[in-house]
Amino acid sequence: MSDLRVRFAPSPTGYLHIGGARTALFNYLLARKLGGTFILRIEDTDVERSTQESVDAILQAMDWLGLSYDEGPFYQTERFDLYKEKVQQLLDEGKAYKCYCSADELDTKREAAMARGDKPQYDGTCRDLDPRDDDAPYVIRFKSKKEGVTSFNDRIKGTISFNNQELDDMIIQRTDGTPTYNFVVVIDDAEMGLTLVVRGDDHVNNTPRQIQIYEALGYPVPEFAHVPMILGADKKRLSKRHGATSVMAYRDMGYLPEAMVNYLVRLGWSFGDEEIFSMDDLIEKFTLENVGRSAGVFNPEKLLWLNEHYIKTGDPQRLGELLGEYLTTLGHPPTDGIDLAEVVKTLQDRSKTMVEMAEKAVFYVTEAVEFDQSAADKFLTAEQVPVFEALVAQLEQCSFDAEGVEAAFKTVLEQTGLKFGKVGQPTRVALSGGTSAPGIYEVILVLGRERSIQRLKDAIARIG
Ligand code: GLU
């Protein structure tokens, strides 16, 4: 075990999106690589926008991606007493103060500042007031440093410095008594012993404020690593306009978690020109040093390409179990007697997603084959009847394996004098409903003797 402690700290105000999942993954990989501890903390202080549904969605998505955590989930809403204590500590030490400025006053000042071309900042009206003891509503502000610079050495971006003048006295407790993000994040990261904070670079500007809070509360400051944003193809911040941004939406569209993990890691991290990484490879190879400084661009084609790769090379047994779930979602729960691993073997070279595979697999598991009209018109004709009858006779007695089925076809070809295509393609239509099914011997073996014979008989009846 190393003493590295990292965390993922999502706000449960929606599903787990691509960017959040990548942050979680990077933290997970560092913890696993270095024998550290990965903590999950749910940042639900925004009671209005946080929902249990969103917490569940985030937990489910992490589970799907295989991002197991060692501690947590911790909920900030269960830690309000601690935060209150820390607010009081800062008040007692003169490092925070009550601010009675009304929202209207602040608005007026903000507008005036903007009209002058100044950056709107709290002007410090209440900073040096003598303590008052009345019922007027107040917020609590942190007394930030007014001189000097606050800087930190970001593990990805290098040294980043802020003029303390730029940082106004931020609110740490709202009028309703609830604490704010920039305050509680420090308390939690410190109390949970975080040694490194890896998060999206939309938090860079919060960091100097947070560092001042660490210092005011006497906590050691952890290291920071801010990961560049993810953009859409148009170089704008990734959003719904660019397609699905929810991780679980990709599961629903038939993506495998290993494809998603492989894709996410490459949005910002590289290892030479390698593209394919299993989770174990990543745990071995991932380092912050190889995280780039520029934004990653979301490329759905590449994700699809990776998915195709993982489907092609996946373990049929496992993919078979997943296929069962996708078939059920399509309204075709798998029938008894069909070995889904065998179904997978016939389709994994021809499916880019599990949904596509399930659509192609429906004919195996359905009781009533749905016929493609033009294929049926073309191939299920009266002249096929004696051919199907001959095939049924052979299938009834052949040994039911690859050689046996092939021999059955051979006999039928000899009996009828037809070329293979004249027998194979109509048979494919009879068994699958269309012309694009996998190899006909495979289809017969997967369907089984009974089902194959029954479908040929049904086709004969249909022609009749
Ligand atoms: N809860 C914050 C968010 O979801 C993350 C805070 C942090 O990583 O420091 O953006």
Side-chain angles (χ1 to χ4, degrees), residues 131-145:
R132 280 167 43 178
D133 210 11
D134 61 25
D135 298 339
Y138 61 83
V139 298
I140 296 179
R141 289 185 186 271
F142 176 68
K143 217 178 237 186
S144 62
K145 291 184 189 157

Side-chain angles (χ1 to χ4, degrees), residues 7 9-11 43 181 185 199 203:
R7 48 68 162 180
S11 304
E43 304 214 314
Y181 158 71
V185 73
R199 60 186 174 193
H203 287 289

Side-chain angles (χ1 to χ4, degrees), residues 355-368:
V355 168
E356 187 184 352
M357 190 190 285
E359 282 162 355
K360 290 185 166 150
V362 166
F363 81 85
Y364 283 116
V365 300
T366 187
E367 285 306 329

Side-chain angles (χ1 to χ4, degrees), residues 90-91 93-102 105-106 109 122-134 136-141 143 169:
L90 291 181
L91 282 173
E93 294 175 0
K95 294 173 180 168
Y97 59 92
K98 294 180 180 173
C99 167
Y100 297 90
C101 296
S102 70
E105 283 170 73
L106 293 174
K109 286 178 185 172
Y122 178 63
D123 66 357
T125 303
C126 299
R127 184 171 162 117
D128 296 310
L129 282 187
D130 289 334
R132 280 167 43 178
D133 210 11
D134 61 25
Y138 61 83
V139 298
I140 296 179
R141 289 185 186 271
K143 217 178 237 186
D169 290 351

